[in-house]
Amino acid sequence: MILYYSARSCALAPHLALEHVGAKYEARRLDFSKNEQRSEEFLRINPKGRVPVLIADEGILTEAPAILTYISHLYPEAGLAPINNPFLYAQIQAFNSYLCSTLHVAHAHGYRGYRWVDADNQAALDAMKRKMPQTVSESFALIEQDVLQGPWVFGEHYTISDMYLFTVAQWLEMDGIDTGKLPKVMAHRQRMMQDPIVQRVLQEQQKP
Protein backbone atom coordinates (compact mmCIF):
# COMPACT_ATOMS: atom_id res chain seq x y z
CA MET A 1 0.00 0.00 0.00
CA ILE A 2 1.01 3.61 -0.52
CA LEU A 3 -0.12 6.48 1.71
CA TYR A 4 0.12 10.03 0.41
CA TYR A 5 0.21 12.62 3.18
CA SER A 6 1.30 16.12 4.05
CA ALA A 7 2.69 17.26 7.38
CA ARG A 8 0.19 18.54 9.98
CA SER A 9 -2.75 17.37 7.90
CA CYS A 10 -5.60 14.96 8.67
CA ALA A 11 -3.52 12.28 6.93
CA LEU A 12 -1.79 11.79 10.28
CA ALA A 13 -4.72 9.63 11.46
CA PRO A 14 -4.44 6.89 8.79
CA HIS A 15 -0.66 7.10 9.04
CA LEU A 16 -0.96 6.23 12.73
CA ALA A 17 -3.42 3.45 11.96
CA LEU A 18 -1.14 1.83 9.39
CA GLU A 19 1.74 1.86 11.85
CA HIS A 20 -0.43 0.56 14.68
CA VAL A 21 -1.57 -2.50 12.74
CA GLY A 22 1.91 -3.20 11.39
CA ALA A 23 0.89 -2.84 7.75
CA LYS A 24 3.40 -3.02 4.94
CA TYR A 25 3.15 0.34 3.22
CA GLU A 26 5.11 3.24 1.79
CA ALA A 27 4.49 6.80 3.00
CA ARG A 28 4.91 9.50 0.36
CA ARG A 29 4.95 13.09 1.53
CA LEU A 30 3.54 15.94 -0.53
CA ASP A 31 4.86 19.45 0.03
CA PHE A 32 1.84 21.73 -0.04
CA SER A 33 4.08 24.81 0.04
CA LYS A 34 5.26 23.73 -3.41
CA ASN A 35 1.70 22.94 -4.51
CA GLU A 36 2.64 19.32 -5.14
CA GLN A 37 -0.96 18.29 -4.44
CA ARG A 38 -1.93 20.07 -7.64
CA SER A 39 0.66 18.36 -9.82
CA GLU A 40 -0.58 16.46 -12.86
CA GLU A 41 0.86 13.25 -11.47
CA PHE A 42 -0.98 13.50 -8.18
CA LEU A 43 -4.24 14.74 -9.70
CA ARG A 44 -4.33 11.58 -11.78
CA ILE A 45 -4.33 9.68 -8.49
CA ASN A 46 -6.74 11.98 -6.65
CA PRO A 47 -8.54 14.65 -8.71
CA LYS A 48 -9.56 16.32 -5.43
CA GLY A 49 -5.95 17.42 -4.95
CA ARG A 50 -6.04 16.56 -1.26
CA VAL A 51 -4.65 14.09 1.24
CA PRO A 52 -4.86 11.48 2.59
CA VAL A 53 -4.84 9.03 -0.27
CA LEU A 54 -4.30 5.33 0.18
CA ILE A 55 -3.46 3.15 -2.78
CA ALA A 56 -4.57 -0.33 -1.76
CA ASP A 57 -4.60 -3.61 -3.64
CA GLU A 58 -8.23 -3.08 -4.58
CA GLY A 59 -7.84 0.52 -5.74
CA ILE A 60 -7.60 4.08 -4.46
CA LEU A 61 -9.22 5.39 -1.28
CA THR A 62 -9.55 9.01 -0.21
CA GLU A 63 -10.93 10.77 2.91
CA ALA A 64 -9.58 10.01 6.37
CA PRO A 65 -12.74 8.36 7.79
CA ALA A 66 -12.97 5.98 4.83
CA ILE A 67 -9.31 5.00 5.04
CA LEU A 68 -9.54 4.47 8.80
CA THR A 69 -12.59 2.26 8.25
CA TYR A 70 -10.76 0.24 5.61
CA ILE A 71 -7.73 -0.31 7.84
CA SER A 72 -9.89 -1.40 10.79
CA HIS A 73 -11.57 -4.02 8.58
CA LEU A 74 -8.38 -5.10 6.85
CA TYR A 75 -6.71 -5.79 10.20
CA PRO A 76 -9.57 -6.85 12.50
CA GLU A 77 -7.16 -8.55 14.88
CA ALA A 78 -5.80 -5.11 15.84
CA GLY A 79 -9.16 -4.29 17.43
CA LEU A 80 -9.24 -0.65 16.29
CA ALA A 81 -13.01 -0.73 15.80
CA PRO A 82 -15.89 -2.93 17.05
CA ILE A 83 -16.67 -4.14 13.55
CA ASN A 84 -18.92 -6.93 14.88
CA ASN A 85 -21.10 -4.54 16.85
CA PRO A 86 -23.16 -2.48 14.40
CA PHE A 87 -24.29 0.14 16.91
CA LEU A 88 -20.88 0.78 18.49
CA TYR A 89 -19.28 0.85 15.07
CA ALA A 90 -21.87 3.36 13.92
CA GLN A 91 -21.00 5.53 16.94
CA ILE A 92 -17.38 5.58 15.82
CA GLN A 93 -18.44 6.50 12.31
CA ALA A 94 -20.65 9.28 13.66
CA PHE A 95 -17.80 10.75 15.67
CA ASN A 96 -15.31 10.50 12.83
CA SER A 97 -17.83 12.06 10.46
CA TYR A 98 -18.28 14.95 12.88
CA LEU A 99 -14.52 15.55 12.95
CA CYS A 100 -14.41 15.47 9.16
CA SER A 101 -17.54 17.38 8.20
CA THR A 102 -17.83 19.91 11.03
CA LEU A 103 -14.64 20.43 13.03
CA HIS A 104 -12.21 20.16 10.12
CA VAL A 105 -14.38 22.40 7.96
CA ALA A 106 -14.51 25.00 10.74
CA HIS A 107 -10.71 24.87 10.96
CA ALA A 108 -10.38 25.24 7.18
CA HIS A 109 -12.46 28.43 7.22
CA GLY A 110 -9.50 30.15 8.85
CA TYR A 111 -6.96 29.08 6.23
CA ARG A 112 -8.75 28.06 3.05
CA GLY A 113 -11.73 30.35 2.89
CA TYR A 114 -11.29 30.55 -0.87
CA ARG A 115 -13.05 27.19 -1.05
CA TRP A 116 -16.31 28.90 -0.07
CA VAL A 117 -16.01 32.50 -1.31
CA ASP A 118 -14.23 34.22 -4.18
CA ALA A 119 -10.52 34.57 -3.54
CA ASP A 120 -10.70 38.32 -4.22
CA ASN A 121 -13.47 38.84 -1.63
CA GLN A 122 -11.12 39.87 1.16
CA ALA A 123 -13.89 41.03 3.48
CA ALA A 124 -15.56 37.63 3.39
CA LEU A 125 -12.24 35.83 3.85
CA ASP A 126 -11.40 38.00 6.85
CA ALA A 127 -14.84 37.42 8.37
CA MET A 128 -14.42 33.64 8.08
CA LYS A 129 -10.98 33.83 9.63
CA ARG A 130 -12.28 35.88 12.57
CA LYS A 131 -15.14 33.46 13.13
CA MET A 132 -12.98 30.33 12.95
CA PRO A 133 -11.71 30.25 16.59
CA GLN A 134 -15.27 30.44 17.87
CA THR A 135 -16.63 27.64 15.70
CA VAL A 136 -13.63 25.39 16.35
CA SER A 137 -13.92 26.07 20.10
CA GLU A 138 -17.60 25.15 20.04
CA SER A 139 -16.83 21.89 18.25
CA PHE A 140 -14.16 20.92 20.75
CA ALA A 141 -16.41 21.95 23.66
CA LEU A 142 -19.01 19.48 22.45
CA ILE A 143 -16.38 16.74 22.29
CA GLU A 144 -15.09 17.68 25.75
CA GLN A 145 -18.48 17.73 27.40
CA ASP A 146 -20.58 15.18 25.55
CA VAL A 147 -18.39 12.65 23.73
CA LEU A 148 -14.94 12.03 25.19
CA GLN A 149 -15.42 9.38 27.85
CA GLY A 150 -11.81 8.81 28.91
CA PRO A 151 -9.24 7.56 28.95
CA TRP A 152 -10.07 7.07 25.26
CA VAL A 153 -12.87 8.57 23.20
CA PHE A 154 -15.15 5.60 23.78
CA GLY A 155 -13.94 4.59 27.21
CA GLU A 156 -11.43 1.86 27.88
CA HIS A 157 -11.02 0.69 24.30
CA TYR A 158 -8.54 2.41 21.97
CA THR A 159 -9.99 2.95 18.48
CA ILE A 160 -9.48 4.74 15.19
CA SER A 161 -11.40 7.66 16.70
CA ASP A 162 -8.54 8.29 19.13
CA MET A 163 -6.11 8.63 16.25
CA TYR A 164 -8.45 11.03 14.47
CA LEU A 165 -9.15 13.17 17.55
CA PHE A 166 -5.42 13.37 18.27
CA THR A 167 -4.84 14.52 14.70
CA VAL A 168 -7.27 17.43 14.78
CA ALA A 169 -6.16 18.35 18.31
CA GLN A 170 -2.73 19.10 16.85
CA TRP A 171 -4.25 22.28 15.42
CA LEU A 172 -5.61 23.76 18.67
CA GLU A 173 -2.84 26.26 19.35
CA MET A 174 -2.54 27.20 15.70
CA ASP A 175 -6.26 28.01 15.68
CA GLY A 176 -5.95 30.20 18.77
CA ILE A 177 -8.08 27.96 20.98
CA ASP A 178 -8.00 28.28 24.77
CA THR A 179 -6.80 24.78 25.66
CA GLY A 180 -7.34 25.48 29.35
CA LYS A 181 -11.05 24.94 28.71
CA LEU A 182 -10.40 21.47 27.27
CA PRO A 183 -8.77 19.44 30.08
CA LYS A 184 -10.08 16.08 28.84
CA VAL A 185 -9.05 16.75 25.24
CA MET A 186 -5.60 17.86 26.35
CA ALA A 187 -5.19 14.85 28.64
CA HIS A 188 -6.13 12.63 25.71
CA ARG A 189 -3.58 14.37 23.48
CA GLN A 190 -0.87 13.92 26.11
CA ARG A 191 -1.79 10.25 26.54
CA MET A 192 -1.47 9.74 22.80
CA MET A 193 1.90 11.50 22.79
CA GLN A 194 3.25 8.86 25.17
CA ASP A 195 2.69 6.10 22.59
CA PRO A 196 5.97 5.12 20.86
CA ILE A 197 4.05 4.57 17.61
CA VAL A 198 2.73 8.12 17.72
CA GLN A 199 6.17 9.47 18.51
CA ARG A 200 7.69 7.57 15.59
CA VAL A 201 5.11 8.77 13.06
CA LEU A 202 5.34 12.36 14.23
CA GLN A 203 9.12 12.27 13.88
CA GLU A 204 8.76 10.86 10.39
CA GLN A 205 6.28 13.52 9.34
CA GLN A 206 8.38 16.34 10.79
CA LYS A 207 11.51 15.49 8.85
CA PRO A 208 12.65 18.19 6.40
Side-chain angles (χ1 to χ4, degrees):
M1 293 187 289
I2 301 173
L3 175 71
Y4 285 89
Y5 75 96
S6 64
R8 298 186 66 83
S9 76
C10 61
L12 174 61
H15 201 164
L16 291 172
L18 288 168
E19 278 292 314
H20 185 91
V21 301
K24 293 182 179 180
Y25 73 99
E26 175 189 348
R28 294 184 182 177
R29 178 174 177 173
L30 296 178
D31 188 341
F32 277 29
S33 69
K34 297 178 180 178
N35 219 30
E36 290 180 349
Q37 77 277 16
R38 304 303 303 176
S39 68
E40 290 186 13
E41 178 184 1
F42 184 67
L43 289 175
R44 282 195 294 269
I45 297 170
N46 182 16
K48 301 172 186 176
R50 300 183 188 179
V51 293
V53 174
L54 183 70
I55 300 180
D57 291 341
E58 302 93 331
I60 297 173
L61 286 172
T62 64
E63 308 299 335
I67 296 173
L68 290 170
T69 296
Y70 174 74
I71 295 170
S72 67
H73 278 268
L74 194 61
Y75 295 88
E77 68 280 1
L80 288 179
I83 59 178
N84 295 320
N85 186 317
F87 182 77
L88 293 181
Y89 197 47
Q91 284 187 313
I92 284 179
Q93 298 293 13
F95 179 73
N96 289 356
S97 295
Y98 180 75
L99 296 184
C100 179
S101 66
T102 301
L103 197 154
H104 194 164
V105 170
H107 163 80
H109 281 177
Y111 305 94
R112 301 179 186 89
Y114 55 82
R115 291 179 179 172
W116 294 275
V117 299
D118 292 335
D120 59 357
N121 190 340
Q122 194 59 48
L125 293 171
D126 291 344
M128 294 174 73
K129 186 174 295 186
R130 287 194 301 270
K131 182 74 171 179
M132 179 270 288
Q134 177 187 338
T135 53
V136 171
S137 292
E138 290 171 351
S139 296
F140 270 107
L142 184 146
I143 293 169
E144 174 82 17
Q145 298 164 15
D146 300 324
V147 181
L148 181 50
Q149 298 177 19
W152 306 113
V153 174
F154 291 102
E156 296 297 325
H157 196 64
Y158 182 73
T159 71
I160 51 177
S161 290
D162 293 292
M163 300 169 181
Y164 205 176
L165 176 59
F166 174 75
T167 294
V168 297
Q170 299 298 297
W171 309 331
L172 281 165
E173 289 83 359
M174 179 172 61
D175 289 350
I177 308 305
D178 183 357
T179 57
K181 295 181 179 180
L182 302 170
K184 291 168 63 177
V185 170
M186 296 305 292
H188 178 272
R189 192 172 79 171
Q190 182 59 35
R191 192 173 297 113
M192 289 287 295
M193 285 293 296
Q194 295 170 358
D195 186 338
I197 293 174
V198 173
Q199 295 173 12
R200 184 167 66 248
V201 172
L202 286 175
Q203 289 175 358
E204 176 66 25
Q205 290 207 358
Q206 292 168 0
K207 288 180 179 178

mmCIF file of all heavy atoms in Angstrom, residues 12 16 19 158 163 166 170 189 191-204:
data_model
loop_
_atom_site.group_PDB
_atom_site.id
_atom_site.type_symbol
_atom_site.label_atom_id
_atom_site.label_comp_id
_atom_site.label_asym_id
_atom_site.label_seq_id
_atom_site.Cartn_x
_atom_site.Cartn_y
_atom_site.Cartn_z
ATOM 1 N N LEU A 12 -2.490 12.373 9.135
ATOM 2 C CA LEU A 12 -1.794 11.785 10.282
ATOM 3 C C LEU A 12 -2.579 10.601 10.841
ATOM 4 O O LEU A 12 -1.983 9.599 11.262
ATOM 5 C CB LEU A 12 -1.592 12.852 11.359
ATOM 6 C CG LEU A 12 -0.997 12.370 12.692
ATOM 7 C CD1 LEU A 12 0.387 11.767 12.497
ATOM 8 C CD2 LEU A 12 -0.945 13.519 13.697
ATOM 9 N N LEU A 16 -1.050 6.884 11.428
ATOM 10 C CA LEU A 16 -0.960 6.234 12.729
ATOM 11 C C LEU A 16 -1.592 4.850 12.696
ATOM 12 O O LEU A 16 -1.052 3.892 13.269
ATOM 13 C CB LEU A 16 -1.643 7.086 13.797
ATOM 14 C CG LEU A 16 -0.975 8.406 14.161
ATOM 15 C CD1 LEU A 16 -1.878 9.221 15.091
ATOM 16 C CD2 LEU A 16 0.378 8.172 14.821
ATOM 17 N N GLU A 19 0.633 2.246 10.969
ATOM 18 C CA GLU A 19 1.740 1.859 11.849
ATOM 19 C C GLU A 19 1.246 0.968 12.979
ATOM 20 O O GLU A 19 1.904 -0.009 13.352
ATOM 21 C CB GLU A 19 2.412 3.100 12.421
ATOM 22 C CG GLU A 19 3.419 3.750 11.508
ATOM 23 C CD GLU A 19 4.667 2.895 11.303
ATOM 24 O OE1 GLU A 19 5.207 2.363 12.285
ATOM 25 O OE2 GLU A 19 5.093 2.762 10.142
ATOM 26 N N TYR A 158 -9.238 1.531 22.920
ATOM 27 C CA TYR A 158 -8.540 2.406 21.967
ATOM 28 C C TYR A 158 -9.032 2.107 20.548
ATOM 29 O O TYR A 158 -9.048 0.950 20.123
ATOM 30 C CB TYR A 158 -7.046 2.148 22.081
ATOM 31 C CG TYR A 158 -6.145 2.995 21.212
ATOM 32 C CD1 TYR A 158 -5.939 4.330 21.505
ATOM 33 C CD2 TYR A 158 -5.473 2.431 20.132
ATOM 34 C CE1 TYR A 158 -5.081 5.108 20.725
ATOM 35 C CE2 TYR A 158 -4.611 3.190 19.351
ATOM 36 C CZ TYR A 158 -4.420 4.521 19.651
ATOM 37 O OH TYR A 158 -3.579 5.283 18.880
ATOM 38 N N MET A 163 -7.106 8.139 17.186
ATOM 39 C CA MET A 163 -6.107 8.632 16.246
ATOM 40 C C MET A 163 -6.599 9.888 15.530
ATOM 41 O O MET A 163 -5.839 10.830 15.307
ATOM 42 C CB MET A 163 -5.780 7.540 15.225
ATOM 43 C CG MET A 163 -5.219 6.282 15.847
ATOM 44 S SD MET A 163 -5.139 4.924 14.662
ATOM 45 C CE MET A 163 -4.481 3.621 15.707
ATOM 46 N N PHE A 166 -6.785 12.904 18.041
ATOM 47 C CA PHE A 166 -5.423 13.374 18.269
ATOM 48 C C PHE A 166 -4.935 14.216 17.105
ATOM 49 O O PHE A 166 -4.283 15.250 17.286
ATOM 50 C CB PHE A 166 -4.492 12.186 18.478
ATOM 51 C CG PHE A 166 -3.040 12.553 18.581
ATOM 52 C CD1 PHE A 166 -2.538 13.132 19.731
ATOM 53 C CD2 PHE A 166 -2.175 12.311 17.527
ATOM 54 C CE1 PHE A 166 -1.188 13.475 19.825
ATOM 55 C CE2 PHE A 166 -0.834 12.649 17.607
ATOM 56 C CZ PHE A 166 -0.345 13.236 18.768
ATOM 57 N N GLN A 170 -4.040 18.515 17.139
ATOM 58 C CA GLN A 170 -2.733 19.104 16.854
ATOM 59 C C GLN A 170 -2.861 20.557 16.414
ATOM 60 O O GLN A 170 -1.894 21.321 16.459
ATOM 61 C CB GLN A 170 -2.022 18.315 15.748
ATOM 62 C CG GLN A 170 -1.746 16.862 16.057
ATOM 63 C CD GLN A 170 -0.836 16.705 17.255
ATOM 64 O OE1 GLN A 170 0.315 17.123 17.257
ATOM 65 N NE2 GLN A 170 -1.375 16.123 18.309
ATOM 66 N N ARG A 189 -4.698 14.084 24.384
ATOM 67 C CA ARG A 189 -3.578 14.372 23.484
ATOM 68 C C ARG A 189 -2.256 13.974 24.129
ATOM 69 O O ARG A 189 -1.391 13.377 23.473
ATOM 70 C CB ARG A 189 -3.569 15.858 23.102
ATOM 71 C CG ARG A 189 -2.625 16.172 21.960
ATOM 72 C CD ARG A 189 -2.765 17.601 21.471
ATOM 73 N NE ARG A 189 -2.073 18.552 22.331
ATOM 74 C CZ ARG A 189 -1.892 19.840 22.037
ATOM 75 N NH1 ARG A 189 -2.378 20.344 20.910
ATOM 76 N NH2 ARG A 189 -1.251 20.640 22.856
ATOM 77 N N ARG A 191 -1.824 11.713 26.444
ATOM 78 C CA ARG A 191 -1.794 10.251 26.542
ATOM 79 C C ARG A 191 -1.362 9.652 25.205
ATOM 80 O O ARG A 191 -0.561 8.713 25.160
ATOM 81 C CB ARG A 191 -3.182 9.753 26.940
ATOM 82 C CG ARG A 191 -3.227 8.295 27.366
ATOM 83 C CD ARG A 191 -4.612 7.936 27.901
ATOM 84 N NE ARG A 191 -4.923 8.718 29.104
ATOM 85 C CZ ARG A 191 -5.870 9.656 29.180
ATOM 86 N NH1 ARG A 191 -6.605 9.940 28.118
ATOM 87 N NH2 ARG A 191 -6.078 10.313 30.290
ATOM 88 N N MET A 192 -1.865 10.203 24.126
ATOM 89 C CA MET A 192 -1.467 9.739 22.804
ATOM 90 C C MET A 192 0.012 9.997 22.562
ATOM 91 O O MET A 192 0.712 9.155 21.967
ATOM 92 C CB MET A 192 -2.306 10.443 21.737
ATOM 93 C CG MET A 192 -3.762 10.019 21.681
ATOM 94 S SD MET A 192 -4.023 8.367 20.985
ATOM 95 C CE MET A 192 -3.463 8.589 19.300
ATOM 96 N N MET A 193 0.510 11.133 23.004
ATOM 97 C CA MET A 193 1.902 11.500 22.789
ATOM 98 C C MET A 193 2.871 10.539 23.469
ATOM 99 O O MET A 193 4.039 10.460 23.095
ATOM 100 C CB MET A 193 2.157 12.913 23.285
ATOM 101 C CG MET A 193 1.621 14.001 22.383
ATOM 102 S SD MET A 193 2.485 14.081 20.791
ATOM 103 C CE MET A 193 4.139 14.521 21.334
ATOM 104 N N GLN A 194 2.397 9.804 24.452
ATOM 105 C CA GLN A 194 3.255 8.856 25.168
ATOM 106 C C GLN A 194 3.410 7.536 24.425
ATOM 107 O O GLN A 194 4.238 6.706 24.808
ATOM 108 C CB GLN A 194 2.681 8.610 26.569
ATOM 109 C CG GLN A 194 2.693 9.845 27.452
ATOM 110 C CD GLN A 194 1.917 9.669 28.739
ATOM 111 O OE1 GLN A 194 1.313 8.623 28.985
ATOM 112 N NE2 GLN A 194 1.919 10.687 29.578
ATOM 113 N N ASP A 195 2.641 7.341 23.373
ATOM 114 C CA ASP A 195 2.688 6.104 22.592
ATOM 115 C C ASP A 195 3.907 6.143 21.663
ATOM 116 O O ASP A 195 4.052 7.064 20.857
ATOM 117 C CB ASP A 195 1.403 5.990 21.766
ATOM 118 C CG ASP A 195 1.285 4.670 21.028
ATOM 119 O OD1 ASP A 195 2.317 3.996 20.796
ATOM 120 O OD2 ASP A 195 0.154 4.301 20.667
ATOM 121 N N PRO A 196 4.792 5.150 21.737
ATOM 122 C CA PRO A 196 5.970 5.121 20.857
ATOM 123 C C PRO A 196 5.608 5.147 19.376
ATOM 124 O O PRO A 196 6.365 5.699 18.569
ATOM 125 C CB PRO A 196 6.667 3.813 21.241
ATOM 126 C CG PRO A 196 6.209 3.526 22.640
ATOM 127 C CD PRO A 196 4.802 4.037 22.709
ATOM 128 N N ILE A 197 4.475 4.550 19.007
ATOM 129 C CA ILE A 197 4.053 4.566 17.608
ATOM 130 C C ILE A 197 3.746 5.994 17.175
ATOM 131 O O ILE A 197 4.152 6.444 16.097
ATOM 132 C CB ILE A 197 2.827 3.664 17.397
ATOM 133 C CG1 ILE A 197 3.208 2.202 17.618
ATOM 134 C CG2 ILE A 197 2.232 3.868 16.000
ATOM 135 C CD1 ILE A 197 2.030 1.241 17.568
ATOM 136 N N VAL A 198 3.046 6.729 18.021
ATOM 137 C CA VAL A 198 2.725 8.120 17.723
ATOM 138 C C VAL A 198 4.001 8.939 17.618
ATOM 139 O O VAL A 198 4.166 9.750 16.688
ATOM 140 C CB VAL A 198 1.794 8.704 18.802
ATOM 141 C CG1 VAL A 198 1.591 10.201 18.588
ATOM 142 C CG2 VAL A 198 0.446 7.982 18.781
ATOM 143 N N GLN A 199 4.909 8.742 18.533
ATOM 144 C CA GLN A 199 6.171 9.475 18.511
ATOM 145 C C GLN A 199 6.936 9.204 17.223
ATOM 146 O O GLN A 199 7.491 10.122 16.610
ATOM 147 C CB GLN A 199 7.006 9.091 19.725
ATOM 148 C CG GLN A 199 6.399 9.511 21.059
ATOM 149 C CD GLN A 199 7.171 8.963 22.245
ATOM 150 O OE1 GLN A 199 8.288 8.460 22.083
ATOM 151 N NE2 GLN A 199 6.589 9.043 23.428
ATOM 152 N N ARG A 200 6.952 7.951 16.803
ATOM 153 C CA ARG A 200 7.692 7.574 15.587
ATOM 154 C C ARG A 200 7.085 8.211 14.344
ATOM 155 O O ARG A 200 7.805 8.739 13.486
ATOM 156 C CB ARG A 200 7.713 6.052 15.459
ATOM 157 C CG ARG A 200 8.521 5.542 14.287
ATOM 158 C CD ARG A 200 8.774 4.057 14.383
ATOM 159 N NE ARG A 200 7.568 3.251 14.270
ATOM 160 C CZ ARG A 200 7.060 2.535 15.268
ATOM 161 N NH1 ARG A 200 7.647 2.512 16.460
ATOM 162 N NH2 ARG A 200 5.968 1.805 15.091
ATOM 163 N N VAL A 201 5.774 8.188 14.243
ATOM 164 C CA VAL A 201 5.114 8.765 13.061
ATOM 165 C C VAL A 201 5.282 10.285 13.031
ATOM 166 O O VAL A 201 5.538 10.878 11.977
ATOM 167 C CB VAL A 201 3.625 8.368 13.024
ATOM 168 C CG1 VAL A 201 2.897 9.125 11.906
ATOM 169 C CG2 VAL A 201 3.479 6.871 12.816
ATOM 170 N N LEU A 202 5.156 10.905 14.186
ATOM 171 C CA LEU A 202 5.338 12.359 14.234
ATOM 172 C C LEU A 202 6.758 12.755 13.816
ATOM 173 O O LEU A 202 6.960 13.724 13.080
ATOM 174 C CB LEU A 202 5.050 12.897 15.638
ATOM 175 C CG LEU A 202 3.576 12.940 16.051
ATOM 176 C CD1 LEU A 202 3.460 13.393 17.511
ATOM 177 C CD2 LEU A 202 2.764 13.848 15.149
ATOM 178 N N GLN A 203 7.730 11.997 14.273
ATOM 179 C CA GLN A 203 9.116 12.273 13.876
ATOM 180 C C GLN A 203 9.295 12.110 12.383
ATOM 181 O O GLN A 203 9.984 12.896 11.734
ATOM 182 C CB GLN A 203 10.065 11.335 14.646
ATOM 183 C CG GLN A 203 10.184 11.664 16.126
ATOM 184 C CD GLN A 203 11.025 10.643 16.868
ATOM 185 O OE1 GLN A 203 11.506 9.663 16.301
ATOM 186 N NE2 GLN A 203 11.191 10.857 18.159
ATOM 187 N N GLU A 204 8.670 11.090 11.822
ATOM 188 C CA GLU A 204 8.758 10.856 10.386
ATOM 189 C C GLU A 204 8.126 11.995 9.605
ATOM 190 O O GLU A 204 8.699 12.500 8.620
ATOM 191 C CB GLU A 204 8.069 9.542 10.025
ATOM 192 C CG GLU A 204 8.018 9.227 8.544
ATOM 193 C CD GLU A 204 9.387 8.985 7.936
ATOM 194 O OE1 GLU A 204 10.312 8.604 8.685
ATOM 195 O OE2 GLU A 204 9.536 9.190 6.719
#
